[in-house]
Amino acid sequence: MPLVLHQSPLLWVRLAALVFSCIAFSVAVHGANLGRHAADWCIFCWCFSFAGTLVVLLVELFGLQSRAPVSWKNFPITFACYASLLCLSASIIFPLYFLKGYGTSGETRNYRIVSTVFSCLATIAYVSEVSISKARPGEVAGYMATAPGLLKVCETFVACVIFVFISDPVSYDSHDALKWCLAVYCICFILSAAVIVLCVGECTGCLPFPFARFLSAYALLAVLMYLSATIVWPVFKFDRKHGGTTHRPSHCGSDVGLCSYDKLVAVAVLTALNFVLYLADLVYSARLVFVTV
């Protein structure tokens, strides 16, 4: 079967992302002397991004889009968006755990710096791919190539990070209000993930109700739920009247990575971030219903 080569910017940014992610995990595994669980996450981010990009390139080069079991209008940009977020997280976590507090010289440190640099380059490449692939005004494209679709990816990713922070150590079992926050994170994550799966699998037409109106109603519900969590979490974690901690412990400055208090602050910030993302999602979804329908 002849190769189908398209000399386009999209091809070059995918090749760049493939090379950068490959170098990032290869150098880290070869000489970075990794020994913490955080390293496993970073290696996973780079390997997952590399493998997915390789699959996308092979399908594109051999012209197998019509035989793919997923919607090719939605899958590549969905993967690229997730890969950019994964590489971004690795670009933050890796130096935080493996460069912070270490000396200024040494071969191991040099390997770690190289992995960090190429992780950042891979992030830029994936962000460029998303920017090139996203739908332009008036252009017919898959839902995941539009702003609401990309917001869904960001919402689910932020929720996954929240799950990591609230589970190590467990920080939601001291009060029923905090369990409500956990319920908010879980419900909204499941629904957003379901929307992504339906779009990538081209199953939106199987729903017994209009998909656009469902998106608008769900976005409104998610905004209200995340608004409550944005208020409740800081009250019960940082207000002394409700058993919270008002000051950052002194030992946090010497800990490698994030201490428990830092994770509580991160959850509060990420909750507010997801509230903003769902609010923007609601604006776009409402426009989709009331302007185009």
Side-chain angles (χ1 to χ4, degrees), residues 55-260:
V55 170
V56 170
L57 281 172
L58 291 176
V59 171
E60 292 276 352
L61 292 177
F62 285 97
L64 302 175
Q65 296 92 325
S66 60
R67 299 185 181 182
V70 294
S71 167
W72 209 251
K73 295 185 298 182
N74 291 305
F75 176 77
I77 190 170
T78 302
F79 171 79
C81 192
Y82 273 121
S84 64
L85 294 171
L86 288 170
C87 289
L88 175 62
S89 69
S91 300
I92 297 172
I93 292 173
F94 194 78
L96 187 64
Y97 280 86
F98 298 102
L99 288 178
K100 177 185 176 184
Y102 287 87
T104 57
S105 61
E107 185 177 359
T108 298
R109 179 179 173 85
N110 293 335
Y111 277 109
R112 294 176 177 180
I113 292 175
V114 171
S115 290
T116 302
V117 170
F118 278 95
S119 180
C120 294
L121 291 175
T123 303
I124 295 173
Y126 282 116
V127 171
S128 300
E129 180 180 348
V130 172
S131 178
I132 294 172
S133 303
K134 70 179 182 180
R136 301 297 190 272
E139 180 182 354
V140 178
Y143 175 78
M144 297 307 301
T146 64
L150 297 175
L151 285 171
K152 292 289 189 303
V153 174
C154 296
E155 291 157 4
T156 55
F157 184 82
V158 171
C160 287
V161 178
I162 291 176
F163 292 144
V164 172
F165 285 153
I166 65 176
S167 61
D168 183 26
V170 175
S171 56
Y172 54 81
D173 59 350
S174 59
H175 198 281
D176 288 340
L178 298 175
K179 294 179 181 178
W180 162 251
C181 294
L182 176 64
V184 170
Y185 305 143
C186 292
I187 293 172
C188 294
F189 169 79
I190 292 172
L191 290 176
S192 292
V195 170
I196 294 174
V197 171
L198 288 172
C199 291
V200 173
E202 287 191 323
C203 300
T204 56
C206 300
L207 297 176
F209 41 77
F211 184 61
R213 295 190 181 277
F214 164 74
L215 293 175
S216 185
Y218 158 58
L220 177 60
L221 175 64
V223 166
L224 296 176
M225 294 178 70
Y226 259 96
L227 176 60
S228 67
T230 303
I231 298 171
V232 169
W233 184 268
V235 168
F236 285 88
K237 282 301 180 182
F238 306 118
D239 188 346
R240 186 170 296 175
K241 295 180 180 179
H242 297 88
T245 304
T246 56
H247 300 289
R248 187 171 186 259
S250 57
H251 66 81
C252 283
S254 58
D255 288 350
V256 176
L258 298 177
C259 66
S260 298

